[in-house]
Coordinates of all heavy atoms in Angstrom, one line a residue:
N23 N -3.4 -86.2 -17.3 CA -2.5 -86.3 -16.2 C -2.8 -87.6 -15.4 O -2.2 -87.8 -14.4 CB -2.7 -85.1 -15.2 CG -4.1 -85.0 -14.6 OD1 -4.9 -86.0 -14.7 ND2 -4.3 -83.9 -13.8
G24 N -3.7 -88.4 -15.9 CA -4.1 -89.7 -15.2 C -5.2 -89.6 -14.3 O -5.6 -90.7 -13.8
D25 N -5.7 -88.4 -14.0 CA -6.8 -88.3 -13.1 C -8.1 -88.0 -13.9 O -8.3 -86.8 -14.3 CB -6.5 -87.2 -12.1 CG -7.6 -87.0 -11.0 OD1 -8.6 -87.6 -11.1 OD2 -7.3 -86.2 -10.1
A26 N -8.9 -89.0 -14.0 CA -10.1 -88.8 -14.9 C -11.1 -87.8 -14.3 O -11.8 -87.1 -15.1 CB -10.9 -90.2 -15.0
A27 N -11.1 -87.6 -12.9 CA -12.0 -86.6 -12.3 C -11.5 -85.2 -12.5 O -12.3 -84.3 -12.5 CB -12.2 -87.0 -10.9
N28 N -10.2 -85.0 -12.6 CA -9.6 -83.7 -12.8 C -8.4 -83.8 -13.7 O -7.2 -83.8 -13.3 CB -9.2 -83.1 -11.4 CG -8.7 -81.7 -11.5 OD1 -8.9 -81.0 -12.5 ND2 -7.9 -81.3 -10.5
P29 N -8.7 -83.9 -15.0 CA -7.5 -84.2 -16.0 C -6.7 -83.0 -16.4 O -5.8 -83.2 -17.2 CB -8.3 -84.7 -17.2 CG -9.6 -84.0 -17.1 CD -9.9 -83.8 -15.6
A30 N -6.9 -81.8 -15.9 CA -6.1 -80.6 -16.3 C -4.7 -80.7 -15.9 O -4.3 -81.3 -14.8 CB -6.8 -79.4 -15.7
C31 N -3.8 -80.1 -16.7 CA -2.4 -79.9 -16.3 C -2.2 -78.5 -16.3 O -2.7 -77.7 -17.0 CB -1.5 -80.5 -17.4 SG -1.6 -82.3 -17.7
S32 N -1.3 -78.1 -15.3 CA -1.0 -76.6 -15.1 C 0.3 -76.3 -15.8 O 1.4 -76.7 -15.3 CB -1.0 -76.3 -13.7 OG -0.8 -75.0 -13.5
G33 N 0.2 -75.6 -16.9 CA 1.5 -75.1 -17.5 C 2.2 -76.3 -18.2 O 1.9 -77.5 -18.2
I34 N 3.3 -75.9 -18.8 CA 4.2 -76.8 -19.6 C 4.8 -77.9 -18.5 O 4.9 -79.0 -18.9 CB 5.4 -76.1 -20.2 CG1 4.8 -75.1 -21.3 CG2 6.4 -77.1 -20.8 CD1 4.0 -75.8 -22.4
E35 N 5.1 -77.4 -17.3 CA 5.6 -78.3 -16.4 C 4.6 -79.4 -16.0 O 5.0 -80.6 -15.9 CB 6.0 -77.6 -15.1 CG 7.2 -76.7 -15.2 CD 6.8 -75.3 -15.9 OE1 5.6 -75.0 -15.9 OE2 7.7 -74.6 -16.3
G36 N 3.4 -79.1 -15.9 CA 2.3 -80.1 -15.7 C 2.2 -81.1 -16.8 O 1.9 -82.3 -16.6
V37 N 2.3 -80.5 -18.1 CA 2.2 -81.4 -19.2 C 3.3 -82.4 -19.3 O 3.2 -83.6 -19.5 CB 2.1 -80.6 -20.6 CG1 2.3 -81.5 -21.8 CG2 0.9 -79.7 -20.6
L38 N 4.5 -81.9 -19.0 CA 5.7 -82.8 -19.0 C 5.6 -83.8 -17.9 O 6.0 -85.0 -18.1 CB 7.0 -81.9 -18.8 CG 7.4 -81.1 -20.1 CD1 8.6 -80.2 -19.8 CD2 7.7 -81.9 -21.2
E39 N 5.2 -83.4 -16.7 CA 5.0 -84.4 -15.6 C 4.0 -85.4 -16.0 O 4.2 -86.6 -15.7 CB 4.6 -83.7 -14.3 CG 4.3 -84.6 -13.2 CD 5.5 -85.4 -12.8 OE1 6.7 -85.0 -13.0 OE2 5.4 -86.5 -12.2
A40 N 2.9 -85.0 -16.6 CA 1.9 -86.0 -17.0 C 2.5 -87.0 -18.1 O 2.2 -88.2 -18.0 CB 0.6 -85.3 -17.5
Y41 N 3.3 -86.4 -19.0 CA 3.9 -87.3 -20.0 C 4.8 -88.3 -19.3 O 4.8 -89.5 -19.7 CB 4.6 -86.4 -21.0 CG 5.4 -87.1 -22.0 CD1 4.8 -87.9 -23.0 CD2 6.8 -87.1 -21.9 CE1 5.6 -88.6 -23.9 CE2 7.6 -87.8 -22.9 CZ 7.0 -88.6 -23.8 OH 7.7 -89.3 -24.7
H42 N 5.7 -87.8 -18.4 CA 6.6 -88.7 -17.8 C 5.9 -89.8 -17.0 O 6.3 -91.0 -17.0 CB 7.6 -87.9 -16.9 CG 8.6 -87.1 -17.7 ND1 9.6 -87.7 -18.5 CD2 8.7 -85.8 -17.9 CE1 10.2 -86.8 -19.1 NE2 9.8 -85.6 -18.8
Q43 N 4.8 -89.5 -16.3 CA 4.0 -90.4 -15.6 C 3.4 -91.4 -16.5 O 3.4 -92.7 -16.2 CB 2.9 -89.8 -14.7 CG 3.4 -89.1 -13.5 CD 2.3 -88.4 -12.8 OE1 1.2 -88.5 -13.1 NE2 2.7 -87.7 -11.7
S44 N 2.9 -91.0 -17.7 CA 2.2 -91.9 -18.6 C 3.3 -92.9 -19.2 O 2.9 -94.1 -19.5 CB 1.6 -91.2 -19.7 OG 2.5 -90.5 -20.6
L45 N 4.5 -92.5 -19.4 CA 5.6 -93.4 -19.9 C 5.7 -94.6 -19.0 O 6.0 -95.7 -19.5 CB 6.9 -92.7 -20.1 CG 6.9 -91.6 -21.2 CD1 8.4 -91.0 -21.1 CD2 6.7 -92.3 -22.6
R46 N 5.5 -94.5 -17.7 CA 5.6 -95.5 -16.7 C 4.4 -96.4 -16.7 O 4.5 -97.5 -16.1 CB 6.1 -94.9 -15.4 CG 7.4 -94.3 -15.4 CD 7.9 -93.9 -14.0 NE 7.1 -92.8 -13.5 CZ 7.3 -91.5 -13.6 NH1 8.4 -91.1 -14.3 NH2 6.6 -90.6 -13.1
S47 N 3.3 -95.9 -17.2 CA 2.0 -96.6 -16.8 C 1.2 -97.0 -18.1 O 0.3 -97.8 -18.0 CB 1.2 -95.8 -15.9 OG 0.8 -94.6 -16.5
V48 N 1.5 -96.4 -19.2 CA 0.7 -96.7 -20.4 C 1.3 -97.8 -21.3 O 2.4 -97.7 -21.6 CB 0.4 -95.4 -21.2 CG1 -0.3 -95.6 -22.5 CG2 -0.3 -94.3 -20.4
Q49 N 0.4 -98.7 -21.7 CA 0.8 -99.7 -22.6 C 0.2 -99.3 -24.0 O -1.0 -99.2 -24.1 CB 0.3 -101.1 -22.2 CG 0.5 -102.2 -23.2 CD 1.6 -103.1 -22.8 OE1 2.0 -103.2 -21.7 NE2 2.2 -103.8 -23.8
L50 N 1.1 -99.2 -25.0 CA 0.7 -98.8 -26.3 C 0.2 -100.0 -27.1 O 0.9 -101.0 -27.0 CB 1.8 -98.1 -27.1 CG 2.4 -96.8 -26.4 CD1 3.5 -96.2 -27.2 CD2 1.2 -95.8 -26.3
Y51 N -0.9 -99.9 -27.7 CA -1.5 -101.0 -28.6 C -2.5 -100.4 -29.5 O -2.9 -99.3 -29.4 CB -2.1 -102.1 -27.7 CG -3.3 -101.7 -26.9 CD1 -4.6 -101.9 -27.3 CD2 -3.1 -101.1 -25.6 CE1 -5.6 -101.4 -26.6 CE2 -4.2 -100.7 -24.9 CZ -5.4 -100.9 -25.4 OH -6.5 -100.4 -24.6
G52 N -2.9 -101.2 -30.5 CA -3.9 -100.7 -31.5 C -5.2 -101.3 -31.2 O -5.4 -102.2 -30.4
P53 N -6.2 -100.9 -32.0 CA -6.1 -99.9 -33.1 C -5.9 -98.5 -32.4 O -6.1 -98.3 -31.2 CB -7.5 -100.0 -33.7 CG -8.4 -100.5 -32.6 CD -7.6 -101.4 -31.8
T54 N -5.5 -97.6 -33.2 CA -5.2 -96.2 -32.8 C -6.3 -95.4 -33.3 O -6.4 -94.8 -34.4 CB -3.9 -95.7 -33.5 OG1 -2.8 -96.7 -33.2 CG2 -3.5 -94.4 -33.0
N55 N -7.3 -95.2 -32.4 CA -8.5 -94.4 -32.6 C -8.4 -93.1 -31.9 O -8.4 -93.0 -30.7 CB -9.8 -95.2 -32.2 CG -10.0 -96.4 -33.0 OD1 -9.8 -96.5 -34.2 ND2 -10.5 -97.5 -32.3
F56 N -8.4 -92.0 -32.6 CA -8.3 -90.7 -32.0 C -9.6 -90.0 -31.8 O -9.7 -89.1 -31.0 CB -7.4 -89.8 -32.9 CG -5.9 -90.2 -32.9 CD1 -5.1 -89.6 -33.8 CD2 -5.4 -91.1 -32.0 CE1 -3.7 -89.9 -33.8 CE2 -4.1 -91.5 -32.1 CZ -3.2 -90.9 -33.0
A57 N -10.6 -90.3 -32.6 CA -11.9 -89.6 -32.6 C -12.5 -89.5 -31.2 O -13.0 -88.5 -30.7 CB -12.9 -90.2 -33.6
P58 N -12.5 -90.7 -30.4 CA -13.1 -90.6 -29.1 C -12.4 -89.6 -28.1 O -13.1 -88.9 -27.4 CB -12.8 -92.1 -28.5 CG -12.8 -92.9 -29.8 CD -12.1 -92.1 -30.8
V59 N -11.1 -89.5 -28.2 CA -10.4 -88.6 -27.3 C -10.6 -87.1 -27.7 O -10.7 -86.2 -27.0 CB -8.9 -88.9 -27.0 CG1 -8.1 -88.7 -28.3 CG2 -8.3 -88.1 -25.9
V60 N -10.6 -86.9 -29.1 CA -10.8 -85.5 -29.6 C -12.2 -85.1 -29.2 O -12.5 -84.0 -28.7 CB -10.7 -85.5 -31.1 CG1 -11.2 -84.2 -31.7 CG2 -9.2 -85.8 -31.5
N61 N -13.2 -86.0 -29.4 CA -14.6 -85.7 -29.0 C -14.7 -85.4 -27.5 O -15.5 -84.6 -27.0 CB -15.6 -86.8 -29.4 CG -15.8 -86.8 -30.9 OD1 -15.8 -85.8 -31.6 ND2 -16.0 -87.9 -31.5
H62 N -14.0 -86.2 -26.7 CA -14.1 -86.0 -25.2 C -13.5 -84.6 -24.8 O -14.2 -83.9 -24.0 CB -13.2 -87.1 -24.5 CG -13.2 -87.0 -23.0 ND1 -14.2 -87.4 -22.2 CD2 -12.2 -86.5 -22.3 CE1 -13.8 -87.1 -21.0 NE2 -12.6 -86.6 -21.0
V63 N -12.4 -84.2 -25.4 CA -11.8 -82.9 -25.0 C -12.7 -81.8 -25.6 O -12.9 -80.8 -25.0 CB -10.4 -82.8 -25.5 CG1 -9.9 -81.4 -25.3 CG2 -9.5 -83.8 -24.8
A64 N -13.3 -82.1 -26.8 CA -14.2 -81.1 -27.4 C -15.4 -80.8 -26.5 O -15.9 -79.7 -26.3 CB -14.6 -81.5 -28.7
R65 N -15.9 -81.9 -25.9 CA -17.1 -81.7 -25.0 C -16.7 -80.8 -23.8 O -17.4 -79.9 -23.4 CB -17.6 -83.1 -24.5 CG -18.5 -83.8 -25.6 CD -19.2 -85.0 -25.0 NE -18.3 -86.0 -24.5 CZ -17.7 -87.0 -25.3 NH1 -18.1 -87.0 -26.5 NH2 -17.0 -87.9 -24.7
S66 N -15.5 -81.0 -23.3 CA -15.1 -80.2 -22.2 C -14.8 -78.7 -22.6 O -15.3 -77.8 -21.9 CB -13.7 -80.7 -21.6 OG -13.9 -82.0 -21.0
A67 N -14.3 -78.5 -23.8 CA -14.1 -77.2 -24.3 C -15.4 -76.5 -24.6 O -15.5 -75.3 -24.4 CB -13.2 -77.2 -25.6
A68 N -16.3 -77.2 -25.0 CA -17.7 -76.6 -25.3 C -18.4 -76.1 -24.1 O -19.3 -75.2 -24.2 CB -18.6 -77.7 -26.0
E69 N -18.0 -76.6 -22.9 CA -18.6 -76.1 -21.7 C -18.0 -74.8 -21.2 O -18.6 -74.2 -20.3 CB -18.4 -77.2 -20.6 CG -19.1 -78.5 -20.9 CD -18.9 -79.6 -19.8 OE1 -18.2 -79.3 -18.8 OE2 -19.5 -80.7 -20.0
V70 N -16.9 -74.4 -21.8 CA -16.3 -73.2 -21.3 C -16.0 -72.2 -22.5 O -14.9 -72.1 -23.0 CB -14.9 -73.5 -20.6 CG1 -14.3 -72.3 -20.0 CG2 -15.1 -74.6 -19.7
L71 N -17.1 -71.5 -22.9 CA -16.9 -70.7 -24.1 C -16.8 -69.2 -23.7 O -16.9 -68.3 -24.5 CB -18.2 -70.8 -25.0 CG -18.4 -72.2 -25.6 CD1 -19.6 -72.3 -26.4 CD2 -17.1 -72.6 -26.4
D72 N -16.5 -68.9 -22.4 CA -16.4 -67.5 -21.9 C -15.0 -67.0 -22.0 O -14.7 -65.9 -21.6 CB -17.0 -67.4 -20.5 CG -16.1 -68.2 -19.5 OD1 -15.1 -68.9 -19.9 OD2 -16.5 -68.1 -18.3
G73 N -14.1 -67.8 -22.6 CA -12.7 -67.3 -22.7 C -11.8 -67.5 -21.5 O -10.7 -67.2 -21.5
S74 N -12.4 -68.2 -20.5 CA -11.5 -68.3 -19.2 C -10.6 -69.5 -19.3 O -9.7 -69.6 -18.5 CB -12.5 -68.5 -18.1 OG -13.3 -69.7 -18.2
Q75 N -10.8 -70.4 -20.3 CA -9.9 -71.6 -20.4 C -9.7 -71.9 -21.9 O -10.5 -71.6 -22.7 CB -10.6 -72.9 -19.7 CG -10.8 -72.7 -18.2 CD -11.4 -74.0 -17.7 OE1 -11.0 -75.1 -18.1 NE2 -12.2 -73.9 -16.7
Y76 N -8.6 -72.5 -22.1 CA -8.2 -72.9 -23.4 C -7.6 -74.3 -23.3 O -6.8 -74.6 -22.4 CB -7.1 -72.0 -24.1 CG -6.9 -72.3 -25.5 CD1 -7.7 -71.8 -26.5 CD2 -5.8 -73.1 -25.9 CE1 -7.5 -72.0 -27.8 CE2 -5.6 -73.4 -27.3 CZ -6.5 -72.9 -28.1 OH -6.3 -73.1 -29.5
F77 N -8.0 -75.3 -24.1 CA -7.6 -76.7 -24.0 C -6.6 -77.0 -25.1 O -6.8 -76.6 -26.3 CB -8.9 -77.5 -24.2 CG -9.9 -77.3 -23.1 CD1 -10.7 -76.2 -23.1 CD2 -10.0 -78.3 -22.1 CE1 -11.6 -76.1 -22.1 CE2 -10.9 -78.1 -21.1 CZ -11.7 -77.0 -21.1
V78 N -5.6 -77.7 -24.7 CA -4.6 -78.2 -25.7 C -4.6 -79.8 -25.6 O -4.3 -80.3 -24.5 CB -3.2 -77.7 -25.4 CG1 -2.2 -78.3 -26.4 CG2 -3.2 -76.1 -25.5
L79 N -4.9 -80.4 -26.6 CA -4.9 -81.9 -26.7 C -3.6 -82.4 -27.3 O -3.4 -82.1 -28.5 CB -6.1 -82.5 -27.4 CG -6.1 -84.0 -27.6 CD1 -6.0 -84.7 -26.3 CD2 -7.4 -84.4 -28.5
L80 N -2.7 -83.0 -26.6 CA -1.5 -83.5 -27.2 C -1.6 -85.0 -27.2 O -1.7 -85.7 -26.2 CB -0.3 -83.1 -26.3 CG 1.1 -83.7 -26.6 CD1 1.5 -83.3 -28.0 CD2 2.1 -83.3 -25.6
I81 N -1.5 -85.5 -28.5 CA -1.6 -86.9 -28.7 C -0.2 -87.4 -29.1 O 0.2 -86.9 -30.2 CB -2.6 -87.3 -29.7 CG1 -4.0 -86.8 -29.2 CG2 -2.7 -88.8 -29.9 CD1 -5.1 -87.0 -30.2
I82 N 0.4 -88.3 -28.4 CA 1.7 -88.8 -28.8 C 1.4 -90.3 -29.2 O 0.9 -91.1 -28.4 CB 2.7 -88.7 -27.7 CG1 3.0 -87.3 -27.4 CG2 4.1 -89.3 -28.2 CD1 3.8 -87.0 -26.2
T83 N 1.7 -90.7 -30.4 CA 1.3 -92.0 -30.9 C 2.4 -92.7 -31.6 O 3.3 -92.1 -32.2 CB 0.1 -91.9 -31.9 OG1 -0.3 -93.1 -32.4 CG2 0.5 -91.0 -33.1
D84 N 2.4 -94.0 -31.5 CA 3.4 -94.9 -32.2 C 2.7 -95.6 -33.4 O 3.4 -96.5 -33.9 CB 4.1 -95.8 -31.3 CG 3.2 -96.9 -30.8 OD1 2.0 -96.8 -30.8 OD2 3.7 -97.9 -30.3
G85 N 1.5 -95.3 -33.7 CA 0.8 -95.9 -34.7 C 0.0 -95.0 -35.6 O -0.3 -93.8 -35.2
V86 N -0.3 -95.4 -36.8 CA -1.1 -94.5 -37.7 C -2.5 -94.5 -37.2 O -3.0 -95.4 -36.5 CB -1.1 -95.1 -39.1 CG1 0.4 -95.0 -39.7 CG2 -1.5 -96.5 -39.2
I87 N -3.3 -93.5 -37.6 CA -4.6 -93.4 -37.2 C -5.5 -94.4 -37.8 O -5.6 -94.5 -39.0 CB -5.1 -91.9 -37.5 CG1 -4.3 -90.9 -36.8 CG2 -6.6 -91.8 -37.1 CD1 -4.6 -89.4 -37.2
S88 N -6.2 -95.2 -37.0 CA -7.1 -96.2 -37.5 C -8.5 -95.8 -37.9 O -9.1 -96.3 -38.8 CB -7.3 -97.4 -36.4 OG -6.1 -97.9 -36.1
D89 N -8.9 -94.7 -37.3 CA -10.3 -94.1 -37.6 C -10.1 -92.8 -38.2 O -10.7 -91.7 -37.8 CB -11.1 -94.0 -36.3 CG -10.5 -93.1 -35.3 OD1 -9.3 -92.8 -35.3 OD2 -11.3 -92.7 -34.4
M90 N -9.4 -92.7 -39.4 CA -9.1 -91.4 -40.0 C -10.4 -90.6 -40.3 O -10.4 -89.4 -40.0 CB -8.3 -91.6 -41.2 CG -7.8 -90.3 -41.9 SD -6.7 -89.3 -40.9 CE -5.2 -90.2 -41.2
A91 N -11.4 -91.2 -40.9 CA -12.6 -90.4 -41.3 C -13.2 -89.8 -40.0 O -13.6 -88.6 -40.1 CB -13.5 -91.3 -42.1
Q92 N -13.4 -90.7 -39.0 CA -14.0 -90.1 -37.8 C -13.2 -89.1 -37.1 O -13.7 -88.1 -36.5 CB -14.3 -91.3 -36.8 CG -15.3 -92.3 -37.3 CD -14.6 -93.4 -38.1 OE1 -13.5 -93.3 -38.6 NE2 -15.3 -94.5 -38.4
T93 N -11.9 -89.3 -37.1 CA -11.0 -88.3 -36.6 C -11.0 -86.9 -37.3 O -11.1 -85.9 -36.6 CB -9.5 -88.8 -36.5 OG1 -9.5 -89.9 -35.7 CG2 -8.6 -87.7 -36.0
K94 N -11.1 -87.0 -38.6 CA -11.2 -85.7 -39.4 C -12.5 -85.0 -39.0 O -12.5 -83.8 -38.9 CB -11.1 -86.0 -40.9 CG -9.8 -86.4 -41.4 CD -9.8 -86.6 -42.9 CE -8.4 -87.1 -43.4 NZ -8.5 -87.3 -44.9
E95 N -13.6 -85.8 -38.9 CA -14.9 -85.2 -38.6 C -14.8 -84.5 -37.2 O -15.4 -83.4 -37.0 CB -15.9 -86.3 -38.7 CG -17.4 -85.7 -38.3 CD -18.4 -86.8 -38.5 OE1 -18.2 -87.9 -38.9 OE2 -19.5 -86.5 -38.0
A96 N -14.2 -85.3 -36.3 CA -14.2 -84.8 -34.9 C -13.3 -83.5 -34.9 O -13.7 -82.5 -34.1 CB -13.5 -85.8 -34.0
I97 N -12.2 -83.4 -35.6 CA -11.4 -82.3 -35.6 C -12.1 -81.0 -36.3 O -12.2 -79.9 -35.8 CB -10.1 -82.5 -36.4 CG1 -9.2 -83.4 -35.6 CG2 -9.3 -81.2 -36.7 CD1 -8.0 -84.0 -36.3
V98 N -12.8 -81.3 -37.3 CA -13.6 -80.2 -38.0 C -14.7 -79.7 -37.0 O -14.9 -78.5 -36.8 CB -14.3 -80.7 -39.3 CG1 -15.3 -79.7 -39.8 CG2 -13.2 -81.0 -40.3
N99 N -15.4 -80.6 -36.3 CA -16.4 -80.2 -35.4 C -15.9 -79.5 -34.2 O -16.5 -78.6 -33.6 CB -17.2 -81.4 -34.8 CG -18.0 -82.1 -35.9 OD1 -18.4 -81.5 -36.9 ND2 -18.3 -83.3 -35.7
A100 N -14.6 -79.6 -33.8 CA -14.0 -79.0 -32.7 C -13.3 -77.7 -33.1 O -12.9 -76.9 -32.3 CB -12.9 -79.9 -32.1
A101 N -13.3 -77.4 -34.4 CA -12.5 -76.2 -34.9 C -13.0 -74.9 -34.3 O -12.2 -73.9 -34.2 CB -12.6 -76.2 -36.4
K102 N -14.2 -74.8 -34.0 CA -14.8 -73.6 -33.4 C -14.6 -73.4 -31.9 O -15.0 -72.4 -31.4 CB -16.3 -73.4 -33.8 CG -17.1 -74.5 -33.2 CD -18.6 -74.4 -33.7 CE -19.4 -75.5 -33.0 NZ -19.0 -76.8 -33.4
L103 N -14.1 -74.4 -31.3 CA -13.9 -74.4 -29.9 C -12.6 -73.8 -29.4 O -11.6 -73.8 -30.2 CB -14.1 -75.8 -29.3 CG -15.5 -76.4 -29.6 CD1 -15.5 -77.9 -29.3 CD2 -16.6 -75.7 -28.9
P104 N -12.5 -73.5 -28.1 CA -11.2 -72.9 -27.6 C -10.3 -74.1 -27.3 O -10.0 -74.5 -26.1 CB -11.6 -72.2 -26.3 CG -12.9 -72.9 -25.9 CD -13.6 -73.4 -27.2
M105 N -9.7 -74.8 -28.4 CA -8.8 -75.9 -28.2 C -7.9 -76.0 -29.4 O -8.2 -75.6 -30.5 CB -9.6 -77.2 -28.0 CG -10.4 -77.6 -29.1 SD -11.3 -79.2 -28.8 CE -10.0 -80.4 -28.9
S106 N -6.7 -76.6 -29.1 CA -5.8 -76.9 -30.2 C -5.5 -78.4 -30.1 O -5.6 -79.0 -29.0 CB -4.5 -76.2 -30.0 OG -4.6 -74.8 -30.3
I107 N -5.2 -79.1 -31.2 CA -4.9 -80.5 -31.2 C -3.5 -80.6 -31.9 O -3.3 -80.2 -33.0 CB -5.9 -81.3 -32.0 CG1 -7.3 -81.0 -31.4 CG2 -5.6 -82.8 -32.1 CD1 -8.5 -81.5 -32.3
I108 N -2.6 -81.3 -31.1 CA -1.3 -81.5 -31.6 C -1.1 -83.0 -31.6 O -1.3 -83.7 -30.6 CB -0.3 -80.9 -30.7 CG1 -0.5 -79.4 -30.6 CG2 1.2 -81.2 -31.2 CD1 0.3 -78.7 -29.4
I109 N -0.7 -83.6 -32.8 CA -0.5 -85.0 -32.9 C 0.9 -85.2 -33.3 O 1.4 -84.7 -34.3 CB -1.5 -85.7 -33.9 CG1 -2.9 -85.4 -33.5 CG2 -1.1 -87.1 -34.0 CD1 -3.9 -85.9 -34.6
V110 N 1.6 -86.0 -32.4 CA 3.1 -86.3 -32.7 C 3.2 -87.8 -32.9 O 2.9 -88.6 -32.0 CB 3.9 -85.8 -31.5 CG1 5.4 -86.1 -31.7 CG2 3.8 -84.3 -31.2
G111 N 3.8 -88.1 -34.0 CA 4.1 -89.5 -34.3 C 5.5 -89.9 -33.9 O 6.4 -89.2 -34.3
V112 N 5.7 -91.0 -33.2 CA 7.0 -91.4 -32.8 C 7.2 -92.9 -33.3 O 6.2 -93.6 -33.3 CB 7.2 -91.3 -31.3 CG1 7.1 -89.9 -30.8 CG2 6.2 -92.2 -30.5
G113 N 8.4 -93.3 -33.6 CA 8.6 -94.6 -34.0 C 8.7 -94.7 -35.5 O 8.9 -93.8 -36.2
Q114 N 8.6 -96.0 -35.9 CA 8.8 -96.3 -37.4 C 7.6 -96.4 -38.2 O 7.6 -96.8 -39.4 CB 9.5 -97.7 -37.4 CG 10.9 -97.7 -36.7 CD 11.9 -96.7 -37.2 OE1 12.0 -96.5 -38.4 NE2 12.5 -95.9 -36.3
A115 N 6.4 -96.1 -37.7 CA 5.1 -96.2 -38.5 C 5.1 -95.2 -39.6 O 5.8 -94.2 -39.6 CB 3.9 -96.0 -37.6
E116 N 4.3 -95.4 -40.6 CA 4.1 -94.5 -41.7 C 3.1 -93.5 -41.2 O 1.9 -93.8 -41.1 CB 3.5 -95.2 -42.9 CG 4.4 -96.3 -43.5 CD 5.6 -95.6 -44.3 OE1 5.4 -94.5 -44.9 OE2 6.7 -96.2 -44.3
F117 N 3.5 -92.2 -41.1 CA 2.7 -91.1 -40.5 C 2.2 -90.1 -41.6 O 1.8 -89.0 -41.3 CB 3.3 -90.5 -39.4 CG 3.6 -91.3 -38.2 CD1 4.9 -91.7 -37.9 CD2 2.5 -91.6 -37.4 CE1 5.1 -92.5 -36.8 CE2 2.7 -92.4 -36.3 CZ 4.0 -92.8 -36.0
D118 N 2.3 -90.5 -42.9 CA 2.0 -89.6 -43.9 C 0.5 -89.3 -44.2 O 0.1 -88.4 -44.9 CB 2.7 -89.9 -45.2 CG 2.5 -91.4 -45.7 OD1 1.9 -92.2 -44.9 OD2 2.9 -91.7 -46.7
G119 N -0.4 -90.1 -43.5 CA -1.8 -89.9 -43.6 C -2.5 -90.1 -44.9 O -1.9 -90.7 -45.8
E120 N -3.7 -89.7 -45.0 CA -4.5 -89.9 -46.2 C -4.4 -88.7 -47.1 O -4.4 -87.6 -46.8 CB -5.9 -90.2 -45.9 CG -6.2 -91.5 -45.4 CD -7.7 -91.8 -45.2 OE1 -8.6 -91.2 -45.8 OE2 -7.9 -92.6 -44.3

């Protein structure tokens, strides 16, 4: 949502609002490294294992993943946590992966 101190979005409306705000303020550029953000959200999810919260990481990208091996490792490590990861590719890049 753009607030590093309190990054949570409330419901679909909150996610859409954060997305619209980011369109006005985010400059897209490479490299496209996903492992750091996956690990960041995973650390937050690991702090709440009592079932009271569930984390959804939505990554919208216009480029192919630059750190594929590290991203795969981060996703595997996060698999046991209360979180989902959704990656959406937009634009003309080759998104077919490895």
Side-chain angles (χ1 to χ4, degrees):
N23 69 6
D25 182 354
N28 183 18
C31 295
S32 181
I34 297 299
E35 293 80 16
V37 171
L38 290 173
E39 177 61 27
Y41 172 70
H42 290 291
Q43 287 179 4
S44 71
L45 288 176
R46 294 186 291 271
S47 61
V48 173
Q49 171 102 20
L50 301 176
Y51 63 93
T54 306
N55 295 322
F56 291 170
V59 71
V60 172
N61 288 327
H62 177 78
V63 175
R65 283 191 297 275
S66 296
E69 294 176 2
V70 189
L71 297 178
D72 64 359
S74 65
Q75 293 184 36
Y76 190 83
F77 296 77
V78 178
L79 172 58
L80 172 61
I81 300 172
I82 302 172
T83 181
D84 70 340
V86 296
I87 300 172
S88 302
D89 63 341
M90 184 63 80
Q92 295 89 343
T93 297
K94 286 180 181 180
E95 181 179 351
I97 291 170
V98 168
N99 292 337
K102 65 186 177 297
L103 298 172
M105 66 180 286
S106 293
I107 302 166
I108 303 166
I109 302 173
V110 179
V112 296
Q114 302 299 315
E116 294 286 329
F117 295 107
D118 49 355
E120 283 185 25

